[in-house]
Amino acid sequence: MAVSTEAAAPDAAAGAGGRAPRPRRRTGGWRTALTFWYFVGPFLIGLLVFTYIPVVWSAYLSFFDARNTVTPLPEDFVGLGNYARMLQDAAFTDSLVTFTVFAAFVVPLTFACSLGLALLLNRVRLMRAFFRSVFFLPFSCSYVVASLVWKMSIFNGVRYGMANSVLDLFGIEDVPWLFDPSPPWYWLVIVSLRLWIQCGFYMILFIAALQQIPEHLYEAAYVDGAKPGRQTFWHITLPQLRATSVAVLMLILIAAYQAFDEFYNLIGNQAYARPPLMYLYTTALGTQQDLGRGSAGALILALIIAIVTVLQGRFLGFGNAEEK
Amino acid sequence: MVAHSNNRPSRRALAALALDRRRMLALGGLAAGAGALGACGSNTGRGSSDGVNLYQWYHQYGEAGTKEAAEKYAAAYEDATVSINWVPGDYDTTLSSGLLAENPGDYPDVFESHLNRSMVDSGQIVPLDDLFDGVLDDFTDIDVKRNSIDGKIYGIQMIDDPQFLYYRPSLLADAGVAEPATFDDLAAAAAELTTSDVKGLFLGNDDSATKLFQPIVFSAGQTLLTDDFQIGFDKDTVIAGALQVKALHESGSLLIGAPTEAWDPSSIIQGLCAIQWCGLWALPQIIDTYGDDIAVMPFPGFAGGAQTVYNGGWSTFVNAKSEHVDEAKAFAKWLWIDNEEYIQDWCLSYGFHIPPRKSMAANADALAEGPAATAVQISQDYGWGDDPNWTPTMETAVDDMMTHIVLEGADPSAEFDTAAQTIQTELDSIFG
């Protein structure tokens, strides 16, 4: 798509001006193409080698009984057997349910928190850069490091864990935050960690969008008698943020589908909080090394993500939102 | 305008410089690319000497001095140059991808692991029967069985690690509790020993429910799989045991969410629990803290069943892909079958492990008295070992069943049926 745009541009320019000598134009085109490939090539090669080829290879493996091997023999062909086994596998279908619960918590919360932070910071006049940096900073922290801090220091299950020390002040007994699913306190740990890391990033996107809203809209609304606050937020700010909101929602949802690090580091491979990637990881890459079933599961998951993303795009009008 | 200003000498020099810079960038890019590609080809990991190079992989042992010891053994071997890869973190995953690698040096020639049938089915390891000529009887039945598939031995047991319960006799005496022999006694003792600061029992954080599945099965005298590869345990036994574990979990006397897992003795050392599940390896560390005030016991029996001890450990294997299979086998035999000095050093100088060869275990003075002697005794009397036909998929199925029943209160019968179905599907796909 980018290639055709690049190639079309010089022709269009020549058509309009019509004065550029032919040989030079050809050299320019060649040079532009070279520059284009020079910059895009390495990225494209990386994408091909590390993404597209593995995806195709994974699709190939998903039709074989491929344990401990990435080059199965023809007699190991099992057709759709791996897909059938994954779809009948309670652990895999449960992991999809776990993900749905996780997304139900994390998507609206991340959206609301990052939008709220952006609105607050957009109004702050004092030390603006400082506050922006402070809220953005956690985004640069690795999930692994944050998970260890959350697990070992804040939500440690013994008496000297930070959260339990606070509860202790009120005479409440120690809570095993992560390893007792009833009540499911582990969601508090997982969701709070993800909020802490992610909100700053989406907040920056929202701040950028907020600054694009023309001031005269608010002035016109004021003249028409709209009260600043809830009224202008619902009728001006939110509709103007539509394109950004849709993109942010999709990004949060896809990021939620990719959740792995914090589950792996906080809880490990537990039946009650095992997202799809965790299960696929243990199936394909852990001790099981069943790359056939792992690949089938990965493709099922990819299909679900694609369908949800398309539906969400249709439903929320991603892509045509900007034109509106 | 641009052309004009470019004619000025200084600008021309600058333009030339810019061009040079651009050209430099291009050349630099090409050089970097060539370097990167070259690195792909040349990193065969071979040493520069003409002799045989072997690569030996270990998981990261927790005890201080173990890595240096492994390097010392490697350096002492004269028939090949042995390089050690000491793998921290998730060893199983690193090893699995290492075994798929194609270039010498990227994969191990000799590695420690636990035998699984899929390693044999996919041709990853070679049989080592010839290395055991004349010494097979010197290994325990448990160790021979866990390293054998279809009558061939693939692994050499390096260390035996029985796992059991550690407790402090003084705490039990203060609470007026005797050493528990049944699971109900254990639950009662744990409740009695629990105070506002100390929990009665620590079995693990993420596996306190799941790790008791196998004790339930072996306590009833059953097995995971029968000799003809069918499910070896029955529904009533498992459900009854799981419900006992559930009651223990609901009693509030279990330590859950400790900063370290149960393989690390920190919880009992820091006084977070009175009784802890751990392995023999931790004994020296625990004795450093509590001196004589430490004892060990087998895991109590479930519902009238026997007491049990899980005999863990590590084995050494030889990679079938190795360019030097014979040399790798010779090294494995030299280090882990014949070399009593190093085997005793490995088993007794850092953490404690039982030397797998009975003749060497008999010579292990450090294991001759006190809690260590008890540990050796109970591992012989009540021990069971891994079954290489029991796959990780089957283990995940029963782990999930235990989690659902014990922690989430799911219907035990339905959960058992789901797990049994998953295991049967796996058995059919392997043996069917």
Side-chain angles (χ1 to χ4, degrees):
Chain A
M1 172 137 165
V3 181
S4 65
T5 315
E6 287 286 332
D11 285 347
R19 274 182 297 174
R22 272 174 182 275
R24 201 174 154 186
R25 200 180 74 207
R26 210 173 280 153
T27 320
W30 184 80
R31 278 209 165 172
T32 313
L34 192 71
T35 312
F36 170 76
W37 285 113
Y38 190 80
F39 281 100
V40 174
F43 171 73
L44 209 61
I45 290 170
L47 196 68
L48 201 68
V49 172
F50 295 110
T51 304
Y52 291 138
I53 292 177
V55 167
V56 173
W57 199 260
S58 173
Y60 171 76
L61 284 177
S62 70
F63 297 110
F64 289 86
D65 181 9
R67 292 171 207 244
N68 287 324
T69 178
V70 288
T71 48
L73 302 168
E75 62 259 34
D76 291 333
F77 184 77
V78 292
L80 293 172
N82 287 325
Y83 290 90
R85 262 188 86 178
M86 287 310 276
L87 290 173
Q88 286 164 7
D89 185 347
F92 182 65
T93 47
D94 283 357
S95 74
L96 294 174
V97 174
T98 301
F99 160 73
T100 310
V101 174
F102 175 61
F105 276 113
V106 92
V107 172
L109 267 177
T110 313
F111 183 85
C113 287
S114 41
L115 178 58
L117 275 178
L119 288 168
L120 284 176
L121 285 196
N122 207 36
R123 291 180 72 100
V124 165
R125 294 281 171 263
L126 195 68
M127 296 169 69
R128 225 174 176 182
F130 169 77
F131 283 118
R132 267 185 214 170
S133 313
V134 160
F135 288 116
F136 183 70
L137 219 51
F139 185 66
S140 59
C141 178
S142 115
Y143 272 100
V144 178
V145 173
S147 298
L148 291 179
V149 173
W150 251 243
K151 180 182 187 172
M152 301 179 85
S153 142
I154 304 178
F155 291 107
N156 168 339
V158 294
R159 58 179 184 267
Y160 51 74
M162 200 175 111
N164 278 340
S165 305
V166 174
L167 291 184
D168 208 33
L169 295 178
F170 299 97
I172 301 171
E173 223 180 294
D174 292 348
V175 175
W177 296 99
L178 288 166
F179 299 107
D180 187 358
S182 42
W185 285 117
Y186 59 90
W187 283 126
L188 175 74
V189 183
I190 290 171
V191 171
S192 63
L193 183 141
R194 189 161 266 255
L195 280 181
W196 182 74
I197 286 191
Q198 285 203 333
C199 273
F201 175 69
Y202 298 115
M203 174 198 79
I204 295 287
L205 297 188
F206 276 124
I207 287 179
L210 282 172
Q211 288 171 349
Q212 295 293 315
I213 301 176
E215 196 59 34
H216 64 77
L217 286 179
Y218 292 102
E219 288 162 4
Y222 185 73
V223 171
D224 289 346
K227 292 195 187 77
R230 193 180 293 177
Q231 255 184 340
T232 50
F233 174 74
W234 282 112
H235 297 290
I236 297 175
T237 313
L238 212 51
Q240 288 288 319
L241 288 179
R242 186 186 162 92
T244 308
S245 302
V246 172
V248 164
L249 270 180
M250 280 172 95
L251 287 175
I252 298 175
L253 189 69
I254 290 172
Y257 263 113
Q258 293 173 339
F260 174 79
D261 305 29
E262 70 265 49
F263 284 90
Y264 182 81
N265 288 292
L266 285 172
I267 301 187
N269 187 23
Q270 286 289 327
Y272 54 83
R274 182 194 285 143
L277 283 196
M278 183 79 221
Y279 186 64
L280 295 177
Y281 174 80
T282 53
T283 303
L285 302 174
T287 46
Q288 296 188 30
Q289 287 289 309
D290 193 338
L291 293 149
R293 271 172 60 223
S295 299
L299 286 176
I300 294 172
L301 188 65
L303 192 69
I304 295 175
I305 296 180
I307 292 173
V308 169
T309 311
V310 168
L311 283 180
Q312 197 190 14
R314 277 281 158 79
F315 184 64
L316 294 169
F318 185 59
N320 53 18
E322 227 148 337
E323 288 151 30
K324 283 177 184 172
Chain B
M1 177 77 177
V2 174
H4 170 74
S5 60
N6 267 352
N7 284 335
R8 280 159 59 181
S10 61
R11 291 290 170 114
R12 264 211 314 264
L14 275 176
L17 198 66
L19 195 70
D20 280 354
R21 207 169 52 210
R22 213 172 286 151
R23 197 174 285 160
M24 279 295 287
L25 194 69
L27 288 173
L30 277 176
L37 286 173
C40 290
S42 68
N43 184 19
T44 61
R46 286 168 203 262
S48 54
S49 70
D50 296 333
V52 172
N53 288 287
L54 296 176
Y55 297 87
Q56 186 187 17
W57 286 23
Y58 289 88
H59 83 286
Q60 181 183 31
Y61 284 75
E63 299 90 350
T66 41
K67 185 181 179 193
E68 290 73 18
E71 284 165 351
K72 181 180 82 182
Y73 309 153
Y77 189 61
E78 290 172 354
D79 296 341
T81 307
V82 181
S83 312
I84 301 293
N85 185 12
W86 194 256
V87 182
D90 189 349
Y91 179 70
D92 289 329
T93 305
T94 312
L95 176 66
S96 300
S97 47
L99 290 174
L100 295 179
E102 295 293 336
N103 293 322
D106 292 343
Y107 58 69
D109 299 288
V110 181
F111 60 95
E112 60 170 16
S113 186
H114 302 101
L115 181 62
N116 198 293
R117 174 172 279 274
S118 69
M119 295 160 80
V120 175
D121 286 348
S122 55
Q124 288 187 320
I125 48 178
V126 296
L128 304 175
D129 297 86
D130 49 329
L131 305 186
F132 287 86
D133 281 346
V135 296
L136 189 60
D137 290 345
D138 205 21
F139 287 85
T140 64
D141 291 345
I142 288 177
D143 285 345
V144 172
K145 188 182 175 219
R146 79 164 117 216
N147 287 304
S148 301
I149 292 274
D150 299 338
K152 287 184 179 166
I153 304 188
Y154 289 86
I156 307 169
Q157 195 72 18
M158 302 152 62
I159 50 174
D160 278 328
D161 283 330
Q163 298 182 22
F164 37 74
L165 298 179
Y166 283 96
Y167 66 94
R168 291 173 57 198
S170 66
L171 287 182
L172 267 67
D174 289 349
V177 176
E179 183 183 295
T182 68
F183 189 83
D184 287 336
D185 290 348
L186 178 68
E192 197 66 41
L193 292 164
T194 298
T195 66
S196 59
D197 284 343
V198 182
K199 291 285 188 182
L201 177 61
F202 180 48
L203 296 172
N205 292 323
D206 55 355
D207 60 352
S208 68
T210 57
K211 81 190 323 167
L212 294 184
F213 170 76
Q214 297 201 16
I216 291 170
V217 170
F218 286 97
S219 177
Q222 301 175 2
T223 55
L224 299 174
L225 297 174
T226 60
D227 290 339
D228 56 349
F229 307 124
Q230 298 301 313
I231 293 174
F233 47 87
D234 71 55
K235 186 171 178 173
D236 293 341
T237 305
V238 169
I239 291 179
L243 290 176
Q244 279 186 285
V245 178
K246 181 169 187 267
L248 174 65
H249 264 265
E250 288 166 354
S251 69
S253 45
L254 277 185
L255 172 63
I256 292 178
T260 50
E261 295 299 331
W263 54 264
D264 184 321
S266 297
S267 291
I268 194 164
I269 285 176
Q270 292 169 8
L272 296 174
C273 62
I275 307 174
Q276 177 180 338
W277 174 302
C278 196
L280 179 59
W281 59 83
L283 185 57
Q285 219 181 326
I286 300 177
I287 287 179
D288 279 350
T289 308
Y290 291 126
D292 290 341
D293 188 21
I294 193 72
V296 303
M297 62 174 163
F299 198 83
F302 285 84
Q307 293 164 297
T308 58
V309 170
Y310 167 56
N311 278 321
W314 287 87
S315 306
T316 276
F317 301 88
V318 171
N319 187 352
K321 216 182 251 178
S322 168
E323 286 187 320
H324 308 291
V325 167
D326 291 336
E327 289 86 346
K329 282 169 69 173
F331 170 67
K333 182 177 187 318
W334 172 81
L335 182 53
W336 297 118
I337 293 183
D338 295 338
N339 200 324
E340 176 155 9
E341 182 196 342
Y342 285 168
I343 292 173
Q344 297 282 16
D345 180 59
W346 187 248
C347 289
L348 302 168
S349 299
Y350 314 97
F352 277 179
H353 315 273
I354 303 175
R357 287 188 64 175
K358 294 177 209 166
S359 58
M360 293 185 191
N363 295 336
D365 294 339
L367 303 179
E369 54 188 21
T374 315
V376 173
Q377 192 60 48
I378 60 176
S379 114
Q380 288 166 2
D381 294 347
Y382 307 111
W384 92 85
D386 299 304
D387 181 345
N389 294 302
W390 180 256
T391 68
T393 304
M394 301 179 192
E395 185 58 38
T396 303
V398 295
D399 285 352
D400 286 4
M401 173 192 74
M402 291 296 285
T403 302
H404 290 313
I405 297 174
V406 174
L407 300 180
E408 299 183 289
D411 173 27
S413 175
E415 290 298 328
F416 181 90
D417 292 344
T418 305
Q421 179 61 46
T422 305
I423 295 167
Q424 195 57 52
T425 308
E426 178 82 346
L427 285 171
D428 293 345
S429 81
I430 298 171
F431 303 105

